[in-house]
Amino acid sequence: PTPLNNSTDTSTRSKSNWEERRERIRPLSAGMVEDQEENEFVKEQVEEIVKNAITKTLGASQYNKDRVGIWTGQIIDDCLKELSKLNKPFKYVVTSVIMQKNGAPMHSGLAAYWDNKTDGTCAFQVGTDSMDCITTVFAAMI
């Protein structure tokens, strides 16, 4: 039988392999941190998108019950289009409510069970003299 002992120094080979692996892993880890920062839910960015969609759609319009469905649909579509341009790994859910100002208060609330590190939500309210609009964006990382 031939011995299994090779005459090469295994401690040197292990060290160089370890160093090679470490060098390959280091850039990957740095890139992962950058990717995580680039892919975060940025509430201020989403608020700006929602604000622009609402002001573009409603402008200085007066409340009109026949237009509410069209307005909310347009606000939601504009938000989703702009959110998709961010190229972030999220699935978005957008809701929008428009209510005529008639002296009755409008209350809204939300609750979510998710990972606060990766997912996010943004609710934005705009009011005119004749109506209130609340648009909410839910973002769940995929």
Side-chain angles (χ1 to χ4, degrees):
T2 57
L4 295 175
N5 185 6
N6 292 337
S7 61
T8 59
D9 183 7
T10 57
S11 65
T12 306
R13 184 183 326 137
S14 296
K15 185 176 181 182
S16 66
N17 284 343
W18 181 83
E19 287 175 351
E20 288 175 25
R21 284 183 298 203
R22 190 180 76 193
E23 291 302 314
R24 283 183 292 190
I25 291 172
R26 185 179 299 146
L28 178 62
S29 297
M32 287 173 58
V33 170
E34 285 179 15
D35 287 346
Q36 286 174 352
E37 291 173 2
E38 289 176 11
N39 293 327
E40 285 181 352
F41 181 81
V42 181
K43 186 175 181 176
E44 294 78 18
Q45 200 174 31
V46 176
E47 282 179 345
E48 190 64 27
I49 289 171
V50 173
K51 177 182 163 188
N52 291 340
I54 293 172
T55 54
K56 173 186 162 196
T57 301
L58 298 181
S61 300
Q62 293 296 310
Y63 181 82
N64 180 340
K65 67 179 176 79
D66 298 326
R67 306 263 318 150
V68 170
I70 296 166
W71 288 335
T72 55
Q74 186 65 46
I75 291 168
I76 292 168
D77 288 345
D78 288 351
C79 287
L80 288 172
K81 285 177 190 171
E82 292 302 313
L83 289 166
S84 69
K85 289 179 185 178
L86 296 176
N87 292 322
K88 293 192 176 192
F90 291 103
K91 283 195 175 194
Y92 296 103
V93 175
V94 180
T95 65
S96 189
V97 176
I98 295 176
M99 180 176 158
Q100 181 180 18
K101 283 188 178 176
N102 60 5
M106 178 165 78
H107 300 281
S108 176
L110 64 93
Y113 181 72
W114 58 25
D115 186 352
N116 288 330
K117 294 178 184 171
T118 58
D119 306 327
T121 185
C122 168
F124 196 79
Q125 178 178 354
V126 173
T128 67
D129 59 335
S130 66
M131 63 183 142
D132 285 316
C133 175
I134 298 177
T135 302
T136 307
V137 175
F138 300 89
M141 187 173 274
I142 52 176

